């Protein structure tokens, strides 16, 4: 069975050229795309889940404030999305197309609403002149307006898009995995040869009768759990399957895991976090945060600060900070000794640590004070006590 695919793409003039694509080819292509998409979007979801746990901390004149700007980035960027859904769309766009565009789409109750653009025309890059973005769409809404660079927040994941490189590597590796699957299917399948005598071949209607026999007798013999295959004079059956015990699905699984590995590495994710292994995950998490998540957080806070605040406000201490310290799960009982040292050394307040542990702050002045245990002091103070004592 075959059909002419994409017939509507034929040229308006001249003789069109057709390529017949069978349903089997479409099925194989769909299988290849499913595995490719599975590898890629698992990595994207890992990044999006981590960014979604970050806290967008807002500072005004050097003091941390939780106001409308904080609510905008941490709770509700627009009417139809919470901050987690908004950031997932942002990261998906950033990873799949290497770029993402955030723009203001309106206001409600005195608060701006932000959205991630779905499409836009790639602007010309100028060293000094502001770039312009045309053909911007968000969902079903198309904007006729031309947006200037200072009216949008433009993010770029890498200087060069890594997605086509991943797809190229995948296409080359998939051929090996596909060959391994076909080899496994051949080894596990049943393959028989039928020798037919010349007398039977010369009979009238032999071809049709042979096909009927195959459909009614031989095919049920292979598909049934237990069956009897009759053997007539002039027909001799020979099993060509060989050793069906050869081949192992774990070899195929290892190849698919290799696809996961190089996809993760291309996106700066330690492979151990993707393939489900437990060994070395603590160090892998640190590398994941350092190499993959923190650079995205840095770009986010830089782009938001420079576009929404500008130099003058930044100089006065008004900026936004994307805090990734709450991404990892915090076990308060396991980390109790470390908490005591951090508070007792005066480095952090109680509320600082409660925020890092994803716990509500204590609305008391003493929770924002710095404390230091008595066994910690300056060297000059210790020397004075020894000399005087």
């Amino acid at each position: 069975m075959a059909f002419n695919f994409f017939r509507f793409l034929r040229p308006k003039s001249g003789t069109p050229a057709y390529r017949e694509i069978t349903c089997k080819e479409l099925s194989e292509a769909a299988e290849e795309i499913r595995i490719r998409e599975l590898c890629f979007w698992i990595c994207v979801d890992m990044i999006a889940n981590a960014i979604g746990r970050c806290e967008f901390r807002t500072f005004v004149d050097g003091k941390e404030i939780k106001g409308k700007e904080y609510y905008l980035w941490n709770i509700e960027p627009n009417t139809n999305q919470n901050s987690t859904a908004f950031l997932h769309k942002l990261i998906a766009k950033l990873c799949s197309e290497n770029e993402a565009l955030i723009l203001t789409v309106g206001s409600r109750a005195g608060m701006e609403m932000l959205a991630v653009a779905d499409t836009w025309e790639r602007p010309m890059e100028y060293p000094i002149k502001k770039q312009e973005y045309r053909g911007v769409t968000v969902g079903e809404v198309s904007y006729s307006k031309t947006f200037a660079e200072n009216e949008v927040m433009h993010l770029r994941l890498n200087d060069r898009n890594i997605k086509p490189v991943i797809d190229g590597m995948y296409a080359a590796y998939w051929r090996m995995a596909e060959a391994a699957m076909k080899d496994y299917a051949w080894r596990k399948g049943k393959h028989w040869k039928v020798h037919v005598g010349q007398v039977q071949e010369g009979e009238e209607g032999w071809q049709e009768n042979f096909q009927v026999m195959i459909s009614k007798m031989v095919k049920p013999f292979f598909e049934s759990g237990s069956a009897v295959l009759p053997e007539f004079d002039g027909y001799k059956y020979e099993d060509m399957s060989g050793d069906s015990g050869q081949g192992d699905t774990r070899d195929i699984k290892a190849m698919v895991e290799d696809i996961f590995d190089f996809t993760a590495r291309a996106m700066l994710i330690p492979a151990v976090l993707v393939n489900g292994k437990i060994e070395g995950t603590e160090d892998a998490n640190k590398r994941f945060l350092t190499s993959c998540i923190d650079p995205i957080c840095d770009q986010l806070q830089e782009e938001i600060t420079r576009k929404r605040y500008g130099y003058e406000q930044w100089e006065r201490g008004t900026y936004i900070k994307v805090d990734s310290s709450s991404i990892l799960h915090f076990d308060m009982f396991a980390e109790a000794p470390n908490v005591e040292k951090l508070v007792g050394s005066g480095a952090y307040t109680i509320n600082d640590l409660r925020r890092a542990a994803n716990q509500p702050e204590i609305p008391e002045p003493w929770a924002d004070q710095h404390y230091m245990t008595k066994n910690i002091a300056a060297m000059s103070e210790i020397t004075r006590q020894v000399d005087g004592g």
Side-chain angles (χ1 to χ4, degrees), residues 157-210:
L157 185 62
N158 301 299
D159 185 61
R160 298 292 180 90
N161 191 1
I162 196 67
K163 183 68 162 56
V165 180
I166 298 176
D167 292 343
M169 291 180 61
Y170 177 85
Y173 204 91
W174 172 252
R175 289 194 290 268
M176 292 189 293
E178 188 179 30
M181 285 188 282
K182 288 181 179 179
D183 180 71
Y184 176 81
W186 170 266
R187 294 178 184 276
K188 293 299 181 181
K190 290 294 183 181
H191 308 278
W192 285 62
K193 181 174 70 173
V194 181
H195 177 75
V196 183
Q198 293 183 355
V199 176
Q200 281 74 17
E201 290 181 359
E203 294 179 356
E204 183 179 357
W206 173 85
Q207 183 73 27
E208 293 76 10
N209 295 332
F210 181 77

Side-chain angles (χ1 to χ4, degrees), residues 110-279:
M111 294 181 58
E112 293 183 352
M113 291 190 295
L114 304 175
V116 178
D118 290 295
T119 60
W120 68 90
E121 294 180 10
R122 184 179 179 86
M124 297 295 292
E125 295 186 1
Y126 304 102
I128 299 177
K129 179 183 175 182
K130 292 180 181 178
Q131 295 181 165
E132 296 179 341
Y133 301 85
R134 298 181 177 87
V136 178
T137 64
V138 179
E140 299 296 325
V141 179
S142 299
Y143 291 88
S144 58
K145 173 184 176 180
T146 298
F147 291 87
E149 180 67 32
N150 62 338
E151 295 178 302
V152 300
M153 285 168 279
H154 182 211
L155 304 172
R156 179 175 291 178
L157 185 62
N158 301 299
D159 185 61
R160 298 292 180 90
N161 191 1
I162 196 67
K163 183 68 162 56
V165 180
I166 298 176
D167 292 343
M169 291 180 61
Y170 177 85
Y173 204 91
W174 172 252
R175 289 194 290 268
M176 292 189 293
E178 188 179 30
M181 285 188 282
K182 288 181 179 179
D183 180 71
Y184 176 81
W186 170 266
R187 294 178 184 276
K188 293 299 181 181
K190 290 294 183 181
H191 308 278
W192 285 62
K193 181 174 70 173
V194 181
H195 177 75
V196 183
Q198 293 183 355
V199 176
Q200 281 74 17
E201 290 181 359
E203 294 179 356
E204 183 179 357
W206 173 85
Q207 183 73 27
E208 293 76 10
N209 295 332
F210 181 77
Q211 293 296 334
V212 171
M213 185 195 71
I214 293 295
S215 299
K216 289 185 176 181
M217 297 182 180
V218 179
K219 187 176 180 181
F221 172 75
F222 290 121
E223 294 178 349
S224 301
S226 57
V228 176
L229 177 65
E231 185 174 0
F232 302 101
D233 291 338
Y235 292 86
K236 182 179 180 181
Y237 300 94
E238 182 181 353
D239 188 358
M240 303 294 293
S241 302
D243 186 5
S244 61
Q246 295 180 4
D248 196 338
T249 57
R250 285 178 291 185
D251 297 334
I252 302 173
K253 181 182 176 183
M255 287 189 175
V256 175
E257 287 181 351
D258 287 343
I259 297 174
F260 275 92
D261 288 351
F262 71 66
T263 303
R265 288 172 181 171
M267 303 179 73
L268 302 180
I269 301 175
V272 68
L273 299 180
V274 177
N275 58 32
K277 296 180 181 178
I278 302 176
E279 298 82 2

Side-chain angles (χ1 to χ4, degrees), residues 39 42-44 46-47 50 257-295 327-328:
C39 298
I42 282 179
C43 294
V44 172
M46 285 187 64
I47 299 173
E257 287 181 351
D258 287 343
I259 297 174
F260 275 92
D261 288 351
F262 71 66
T263 303
R265 288 172 181 171
M267 303 179 73
L268 302 180
I269 301 175
V272 68
L273 299 180
V274 177
N275 58 32
K277 296 180 181 178
I278 302 176
E279 298 82 2
T281 53
E282 183 176 354
D283 292 336
N285 279 324
K286 293 179 181 178
R287 285 189 286 127
F288 173 55
L289 295 178
T290 303
S291 302
C292 181
I293 300 302
D294 285 345
I327 291 178
L328 297 178

